[in-house]
Amino acid sequence: MSTTNPATGPATGPGPDPGPGLTAATGSGGDPAERLRRWRLVLGGGEGAEGTGCELTGRDAAMDRTLSQVYGQERTAGLGGSAPRVARWLGDIRTYFPSSVVRVMQRDAIDRLGLAAMLAEPEMLEAVEADVHLVGTLLSLGRALPETSKETARVVVRKVVRELEQRLATRTRATLTGALDRSARVNRPRHQDIDWNRTIRANLRNYLPEYGTVVPERLIGYGRASQAVKKDVILCIDQSGSMASSVVYASVFGAVLASMRALNTRLVVFDTSVVDLTDQLDDPVDVLFGTQLGGGTDINRALAYCQSRVTRPAETVLVLISDLYEGGIRDEMLKRVAAMKGSGVQVVTLLALSDEGAPSYDREHAAALAALGAPAFACTPDHFPEVMAAAIEKRPLPVPAE
């Protein structure tokens, strides 16, 4: 048989592997009583569960009660309607399990037990383990959050955003700075602007061994305009409910890109309407609270707005982040993409910008965009800098293998 439990992970056959919070059985075969105990924790379900006859006591019993609140076959226990009770449950799971497991259990509680409504309580927000998915849930609540909870919600969101920036910012800036330098190289630089390392590499075939030197037929460097804006970037983000994690990551990346002097970054979010949040890019938390997850989708209208903001087509990268379920005019959407591509705009289509991989998406629209030279694919946050670097340098996009 096969089963899965957040405490133990996948288990197959007679000996499930111990998970976080459990003690491994000793020896290659394991102690029979310990094996029964571990199976009992995997199976749950009350006294003598599934015929094991194993009675849990102490910490094991407390863990079992905590798991049964969400994963028990009978929903009669549940978490109830009491915010203090839920807050205690959140404290319990943080006592028994590591953060990675806590986040999975929180997400399952939100899905199975309607925990989202409880997040309106400040004490709940203080108890949860903050991550991208929790931020998405808070943003989806939007105006339903009472005033007493909004400041606490901002604290939770800011904590997650700060962690994401620390994880992503340095690598993004380094990768894109190199791509910008390469895309803006000058072949007739002034002497003080010559990039000697790249010049030598480009002229190695002209090495004269008798003189021990390289004759530089082609000089490579950066002109005095190297600190000027080199590329325009437009992030166009679908804020329908299914794109919650992508909205969070895109907002963080938008703030990082906006901090780079060589980039002119614009951030646009849309559902059936279009909102330009560029003036809030100095604080991604403000950007996130400026979004309104849910509602319909009009990609054509959003692209029309972005197209109207393009002033230097050959130096513009447009990143559309959407599952492509278009509620607007499909043919017009494709015509706009074709027109922008034809004018020199680099168009990147991301089905998701998250750690979960490709979501449900409109495959017909994805195929049509690919035919226009704008392949649609899901992108993890760690892969995003390379995708942007390729777009800036006008190289083929590094589309991940499915």
Side-chain angles (χ1 to χ4, degrees):
M1 66 174 290
S2 175
T3 185
T4 301
N5 183 297
T8 59
T12 304
D17 292 333
L22 301 183
T23 303
T26 57
S28 58
D31 176 66
E34 174 64 15
R35 292 163 70 88
L36 281 175
R37 166 187 169 267
R38 289 158 60 195
W39 263 116
R40 172 63 181 78
L41 282 167
V42 169
L43 295 171
E47 296 182 2
E50 303 296 335
T52 64
C54 178
E55 181 179 355
L56 298 178
T57 60
R59 183 182 176 89
D60 288 347
M63 287 175 61
D64 186 56
R65 285 193 299 271
T66 301
L67 289 167
S68 69
Q69 299 298 300
V70 176
Y71 302 103
Q73 293 181 356
E74 297 295 332
R75 298 298 178 85
T76 55
L79 294 177
S82 166
R85 182 179 182 184
V86 179
R88 285 195 297 274
W89 177 80
L90 288 166
D92 288 344
I93 64 175
R94 293 174 75 168
T95 297
Y96 301 131
F97 307 104
S99 294
S100 58
V101 176
V102 168
R103 290 170 181 170
V104 172
M105 293 178 70
Q106 284 180 174
R107 203 178 316 163
D108 288 345
I110 290 170
D111 291 341
R112 293 172 178 235
L113 303 175
L115 184 58
M118 292 287 183
L119 294 176
E121 300 292 337
E123 62 191 274
M124 278 282 294
L125 291 175
E126 293 170 358
V128 293
E129 184 76 21
D131 68 350
V132 170
H133 299 283
L134 177 63
V135 171
T137 300
L138 291 175
L139 297 179
S140 68
L141 292 175
R143 295 181 179 84
L145 281 174
E147 290 297 326
T148 55
S149 300
K150 285 184 178 178
E151 189 54 41
T152 307
R154 288 185 74 89
V155 171
V156 172
V157 172
R158 190 171 296 282
K159 177 178 182 292
V160 174
V161 166
R162 187 181 301 116
E163 291 173 353
L164 292 178
E165 285 184 307
Q166 291 173 349
R167 167 188 157 193
L168 301 170
T170 300
R171 181 161 171 259
T172 300
R173 291 191 185 103
T175 301
L176 297 192
T177 296
L180 288 163
D181 286 346
R182 289 188 294 271
S183 69
R185 62 189 178 188
V186 177
N187 291 323
R188 297 183 62 184
R190 301 175 184 182
H191 185 271
Q192 63 267 35
D193 297 322
I194 295 174
D195 183 335
W196 287 108
N197 289 331
R198 190 170 292 145
T199 295
I200 291 171
R201 288 197 299 269
N203 290 278
L204 285 176
R205 65 179 181 277
N206 300 323
Y207 177 68
L208 301 179
E210 62 271 27
Y211 296 103
T213 189
V214 170
V215 177
E217 290 183 350
R218 184 164 66 94
L219 299 176
I220 300 174
Y222 311 107
R224 292 179 180 271
S226 61
Q227 296 303 314
V229 173
K230 297 172 183 174
K231 294 289 181 179
D232 297 332
V233 175
I234 303 175
L235 299 179
C236 185
I237 309 168
D238 181 346
Q239 61 176 354
S240 57
S242 60
M243 303 297 293
S245 294
S246 298
V247 170
V248 176
Y249 278 116
S251 298
V252 172
F253 276 118
V256 173
L257 299 181
S259 71
M260 300 178 64
R261 292 177 59 185
L263 293 176
N264 177 35
T265 304
R266 181 177 296 276
L267 188 142
V268 176
V269 298
F270 68 93
D271 42 34
T272 52
S273 59
V274 180
V275 180
D276 193 324
L277 297 176
T278 302
D279 60 351
Q280 299 179 32
L281 272 175
D282 59 331
D283 188 345
V285 176
D286 287 341
V287 170
L288 288 171
F289 278 94
T291 64
Q292 186 172 345
L293 292 174
T297 307
D298 192 338
I299 303 172
N300 178 55
R301 174 176 290 187
L303 290 179
Y305 177 82
C306 294
Q307 187 178 26
S308 72
R309 295 300 182 268
V310 175
T311 57
R312 303 189 303 159
E315 305 302 331
T316 299
V317 177
L318 170 65
V319 183
L320 171 64
I321 304 174
S322 173
D323 54 17
L324 301 179
Y325 286 113
E326 171 65 318
I329 306 173
R330 175 187 185 274
D331 291 342
E332 287 295 319
M333 175 188 77
L334 297 176
K335 286 179 182 177
R336 289 191 191 282
V337 173
M340 286 189 281
K341 289 282 295 181
S343 68
V345 176
Q346 296 296 109
V347 179
V348 179
T349 308
L350 301 181
L351 301 169
L353 179 55
S354 68
D355 295 304
E356 279 73 42
S360 171
Y361 64 94
D362 191 306
R363 296 181 180 275
E364 183 179 349
H365 289 162
L369 288 171
L372 296 174
F377 56 96
C379 177
T380 64
D382 290 334
H383 191 60
F384 183 73
E386 282 74 25
V387 171
M388 287 299 299
I392 286 171
E393 295 183 70
K394 300 183 179 180
R395 294 186 280 109
L397 298 178
V399 179
E402 295 186 1

